[in-house]
Structures are given as structure tokens and as C-alpha cells.
Amino acid sequence: MQSKLDYGAMNALVALSNAQLGRTIWHFLREQGIGGGRLVTSARDAVARMEQARFSLFFVDYELPEFGGVDFIKFIRMCNGPVAEAFVVMVIPTPDKQKVVSARDAGAHEILGLPLTAKLLHSRMNHMIGNPKPFIRAPSYIGPCRRREVVKIHHGVERRSSPRPRRSA
């Protein structure tokens, strides 16, 4: 069983258009021991708060007013400093394949659909923060590694690089 993680050093920015859901997530984070943070309902307010404080955890609404959640995540990933590598959770009210793929490609660590439960939030946060993925910086992508399973590296003889013997007929 995984031990309880210490969230005291983390600051969270909860940017959700649904203020009631935002307050619910914010209270959950406070119960987990989050050090500090802010709750906002628009992308402009989120950017203004980012100028005032450093955040290491973001909860972002897919339908965030003004520029949308996907563009806001891309903005976070293009920032200078440690905020670019902050944990980002995308909340999608009505998930579908296109929305999930766009959130993943923007650089979200986790994607959560509604309805949310405390058990789901707790398990996903513990997994995300307790087992951080390598961070990738490439020309076409900035964010956590998108692989979902561990890639096994073969340490034996590489047979594909040597010529194959011909079979006789």
C-alpha cells in the first residue's frame, strides 16, 4: 500500500468555469494538505494569478472561458521555469475521444471526466504525484511522456540487424 504523500509544499490553481465544482475540488485539496493556491473561473483570471504566485498543480476545465482549457495548458507548457513542468489535471464535463486526445496532446498529466468522486481524485493524484512521468521537450510536444505502459528494453543479441540465413526450398 502506498504511503500518504505530503502535499504541503505544493500550490494549486483550480481553474474551472463551474464554481461549485471548483470549490469542491479546492476543499478536497485543502483536506489533502495542499500548501496554498487559488480558485478562478476564467483563463484571464488564471493567467493573472500565475503572475502573482508559482503553482505546481493545476486543475483545468476543458471548457474554460476565454481561450479554453487546451490552449491554457499549452500556455502553461510554454512558460519559463518550473511552472512549465507542473502537474496538470484536465477536467472534461462530457468526455469523448477528440477531447481526450487534444488534452493529452496539450500536455495534461491526467484527464478526468465528470462525475468526480473523492476516491477517484485521491487515487489519481497519488498515482500522478507519487509516480511522476518523465518530462518531454520536443519541437512538436512539451509535456509528460504520453506512454501508458512501461517499455521493456531488450538486452539480448539484436537479431534484426544481422543478415538472415536463406532457407533452401
Side-chain angles (χ1 to χ4, degrees), residues 27-101:
H27 288 299
F28 169 81
L29 293 173
R30 295 297 294 171
E31 287 178 12
Q32 297 304 308
I34 284 288
R38 297 284 184 250
L39 172 62
V40 297
T41 56
S42 72
R44 290 193 196 282
D45 290 343
V47 172
R49 295 294 182 180
M50 287 176 67
E51 292 173 354
Q52 299 169 356
R54 293 184 181 186
F55 297 101
S56 52
L57 173 64
F58 291 86
F59 277 83
V60 180
D61 187 354
Y62 184 86
E63 299 169 353
L64 192 63
E66 284 139 6
F67 16 102
V70 171
D71 287 337
F72 183 64
I73 292 176
K74 289 178 183 178
F75 170 76
I76 293 169
R77 296 300 181 217
M78 293 183 346
C79 289
N80 291 325
V83 72
E85 296 185 18
F87 294 105
V88 178
V89 178
M90 173 67 82
V91 178
I92 303 177
T94 54
D96 61 39
K97 184 177 179 180
Q98 181 270 331
K99 290 177 182 177
V100 170
V101 169

